[in-house]
Amino acid sequence: MFFGSDVVRKSRVWVLILAICSVTLMVYEAKTTYLGMIPSRQWPPAVGYGLAPWLVGLMVAAIKEGWARIRKRNHRFGRSLLWATGVFMVIMVFATIMSAVRSGDQVEIRNDAMQLMGASVWVPGIAAYCTKYVEASPEMIEEAASWSRRHDRDLRKIIAVIKATGGLSKDEKIQIDQMAMQALKAKVNSQQDKKGYCKQVEMNLQQGLFDLDNRADIASALKRIRDF
């Protein structure tokens, strides 16, 4: 019924366009939504996603065919199939594009949040490391605690953004802590005068030089997080 239709034979270009769109949707879903899954579980839903417009078109055309027969009128099945498939294909392509845009935005805002988290972890981390491994300094610990209190609102927002964009697994948290500790250790141990370096960090904390608002390197990320 469908393949023998004159409409289809005269509309091969549209059939080809719709077929290319279907394949594109399949590949996109397989490489994004279902990426990382074994092929036996990755491709069936991706193929179903690409074939969905055709299935909807077939359903619409079948309903119109049945209605036409009830009313004893002629009905061009192929034309209805292509029309309904095309309309639903446009809707799915638009939805996929919008989803990709949102995904891109989420990746960017998540990267901002991770950058700010690194900056936030550094302050209490360096204070704790200096106090434990260089020279005990309750004043430095208090300055770090004061820093955290001043940035409580921003810290909550950073955590909220990370949760909203997928959160952090237990392994990711452990990895971040380990990387932060290694960076702190390397920074302090690279100093000829470790006590002098830690004392300078304490003074910088007192003067607010490590406050997020005073760091030009994260200014754009901080603004995006606050506006999120």
Side-chain angles (χ1 to χ4, degrees):
M1 182 182 298
F2 168 54
F3 292 101
S5 170
D6 290 337
V7 174
V8 172
R9 283 197 295 269
K10 295 177 182 179
S11 306
R12 290 174 181 173
V13 173
W14 288 109
V15 173
L16 180 60
I17 291 174
L18 293 177
I20 291 174
C21 288
S22 289
V23 173
T24 302
L25 288 174
M26 292 178 193
V27 174
Y28 178 82
E29 283 297 296
K31 299 299 183 182
T32 55
T33 304
Y34 306 109
L35 182 65
M37 299 175 64
I38 58 177
S40 61
R41 295 184 179 181
Q42 176 184 12
W43 281 100
V47 171
Y49 190 85
L51 292 179
W54 293 98
L55 297 176
V56 172
L58 184 64
M59 181 180 66
V60 172
I63 292 173
K64 293 187 69 175
E65 175 78 10
W67 180 248
R69 289 189 178 187
I70 292 174
R71 302 183 65 182
K72 297 181 179 180
R73 293 183 177 181
N74 293 328
H75 174 252
R76 294 184 177 182
F77 186 88
R79 176 177 293 176
S80 295
L81 174 58
L82 288 180
W83 175 83
T85 300
V87 170
F88 197 68
M89 186 75 74
V90 170
I91 294 173
M92 287 194 65
V93 168
F94 178 77
T96 301
I97 292 174
M98 294 304 296
S99 176
V101 171
R102 288 194 298 270
S103 297
D105 291 341
Q106 283 197 342
V107 170
E108 182 178 357
I109 197 69
R110 181 179 176 84
N111 289 339
D112 290 336
M114 294 298 289
Q115 181 184 7
L116 292 173
M117 173 173 277
S120 302
V121 169
W122 189 86
V123 171
I126 192 68
Y129 190 89
C130 282
T131 296
K132 183 175 182 179
Y133 296 104
V134 179
E135 184 178 31
S137 176
E139 295 81 4
M140 191 175 187
I141 294 296
E142 177 54 36
E143 288 295 338
S146 178
W147 184 96
S148 296
R149 288 192 293 270
R150 290 198 304 275
H151 292 83
D152 180 69
R153 185 174 181 179
D154 287 325
L155 296 178
R156 289 177 182 272
K157 190 65 177 290
I158 292 167
I159 294 173
V161 170
I162 291 176
K163 286 183 177 179
T165 55
L168 288 175
S169 67
K170 183 177 180 180
D171 289 340
E172 287 176 322
K173 292 178 181 178
I174 293 174
Q175 185 178 10
I176 290 173
D177 289 340
Q178 290 176 342
M179 290 176 62
M181 179 56 66
Q182 290 173 359
L184 290 171
K185 183 178 179 180
K187 183 66 175 178
V188 174
N189 290 338
S190 66
Q191 307 298 319
Q192 292 184 350
D193 182 4
K194 297 182 178 61
K195 290 184 178 180
Y197 173 76
C198 289
K199 190 63 179 178
Q200 185 62 51
V201 169
E202 182 181 339
M203 292 175 61
N204 290 344
L205 280 171
Q206 291 174 346
Q207 296 170 9
L209 298 183
F210 291 142
D211 284 9
L212 297 181
D213 284 315
N214 292 332
R215 290 188 53 177
D217 59 319
I218 59 173
S220 57
L222 182 62
K223 184 180 186 305
R224 284 192 292 268
I225 288 294
R226 288 174 173 174
D227 294 340
F228 182 76

